[in-house]
Amino acid sequence: MNAPLLVGEWPARGARHGADRVAVQDPAARHSYADLEERSTALADRLRAAGLGRGDRLATVTANSADHVVAFFGCAKAGLLLAPLSWRASTTELAAMLRDARPALVATDTTYRDAVHAALTLLDDPPPAVLLSAEGLEDDLPDLRARSEGRAGQVALDDPVLLLYSSGSTGRPKGILLSHASCWWTNRSLDGRVGMGPDDVVLVVLPQFHVAAWNVQPLLGWLTGARVIVEPVFDPDTVLNRLADERVTTTMGVPTSYQMLAERPGFADADLSSLRLALVGGAPTADRVLTAWSGRGVPLVAGYGLTEAGPNVLCEAEPGGGMLPYPGVEVALRDPVTGRPAEGDRGELLVRGPNVFAGYWGRPDETARAVVGGWLATGDIAERGPDGGYRLVGRSTAMYISGGENVYPGEVEQVLLRDPSVAAAAVVGVPDDQWGEVGVAFVVPRQGLTLDPERLRAGVRQQLAGFKVPRRVVVVDALPLTGSGKIDRPALRGELDNQKGVER
């Protein structure tokens, strides 16, 4: 499999191990490889007949499902980009992502249909919305020629196939483009490290608006003929039963999900004997969680990545050891201040390889800042050990990760500053046993006004997703500043022991 394949060709490749084998299943449906190929091809034909071409976007807001997988491969075959949007987002955030992506069509399920329609009412020229179905989309598609921005011609490896959104440090939604080629190479490198074949059973518990729900095991599974099970939502008891009943061999999660599983009463007796690989990423994993899983004979294997890299960059060679680059992925360290190569074994991690993204959607200047000389700047600080393995030691930005979700303080601070009683605000991430990290907001009241911390948190919750709401709000007289006039976030963290706030 050295010659790259377009993503739309992957189900046919997987079918070589048996067209009647189950390709994807959820609690409501099972599709064989033959079904997946037939349904996605038919959907691609319908999308073209509706007037769409290469480069057009189909946005989705949906729980994980086999129908969503059909829609993805249908888009890939037709040259469209699937833009899976977060169902955790607020109405305002959904509208912002839709406004940025300019999809020709939006697809949703019955669970999130009302949320989608609420977001569409905030747009000047909203695209039509349809429901997902076993054919990928409901039977009747509207005429979309007037909304098409696509072009004619055959789908190419450099064409984008996924448009994934991550909140930017400025608070604006930022779309990350992954091409057919990027998906191919990131999955080939994953296969080179962990291996996967037709006897594997992959369990997907991460939401499909995350890159990992496609490019960390599921897509490789469909390329190699494995059976992929998608859970609509993460429920610990259901997942424990699924691991045993379906004889799952490989899965991937964030530390919070593994912690929740380990804390369930049934964990000690759950049948995990078939599970050969459990990847964990998105944030550091607490030692007690690692110990709980290794005690059940399933060591958690840590990986590091970011959406812009496809996402796979580093993976532990053995549990607890340093992380090595995936095959075909190059890494380097640079001084985060000067931008020059790091003089020692510590610096900002750079990534280079065919797995790296095609750029930010509609943001060439930001793409140029992120990729310099072919190297993607991750913003993460890493340390290289004597064995050549890497360990992540911090971030060069103020971003923190709560329950596997990136939170950018600037976005939350903007919301806090909209309150007329707030003169200044700063948000920092602090360790949390359950979520990995949570936010604490420090706010300075305007002169003569009184701040109500609980009201501020409620205001953030109205405008942003729940995981972005600060766990605590601390009222202070002033924010500490560095010599250059920037907020001194480490100093704020040091003040927490002497402050009292409001619990979420």
Side-chain angles (χ1 to χ4, degrees), residues 223-353:
L223 182 63
T224 58
R227 177 161 62 100
V228 179
I229 304 168
V230 293
E231 284 299 309
V233 294
F234 178 79
D235 175 77
D237 291 324
T238 300
V239 169
L240 283 177
N241 290 334
R242 201 78 72 210
L243 289 170
D245 296 344
E246 300 288 352
R247 306 298 296 164
V248 171
T249 64
T250 179
T251 191
M252 191 270 173
V254 296
T256 299
S257 58
Y258 285 112
Q259 176 182 328
M260 289 180 174
L261 290 168
E263 291 175 346
R264 299 308 299 163
F267 179 74
D269 298 321
D271 183 359
L272 306 177
S273 60
S274 62
L275 192 58
R276 69 173 181 85
L277 177 64
L279 288 175
V280 60
T285 307
D287 288 342
R288 58 189 174 82
V289 178
L290 296 172
T291 300
W293 280 84
S294 63
R296 290 299 329 277
V298 184
L300 300 183
V301 178
Y304 162 80
L306 64 164
T307 306
E308 288 90 336
N312 302 321
V313 177
L314 303 170
C315 185
E316 286 180 338
E318 57 184 34
M323 294 186 289
L324 299 174
Y326 280 92
V329 178
E330 297 180 72
V331 297
L333 299 176
R334 76 170 182 180
D335 187 306
V337 177
T338 66
R340 293 192 290 268
E343 295 183 359
D345 291 319
R346 184 186 178 104
E348 182 184 6
L349 190 69
L350 305 179
V351 182
R352 183 169 65 180

Side-chain angles (χ1 to χ4, degrees), residues 18-44:
D20 293 333
R21 294 165 60 92
V22 175
V24 59
Q25 69 182 74
D26 61 24
R30 287 184 177 224
H31 297 322
S32 69
Y33 274 91
D35 288 338
L36 181 58
E37 174 68 11
E38 180 181 349
R39 293 174 191 271
S40 58
T41 299
L43 176 58

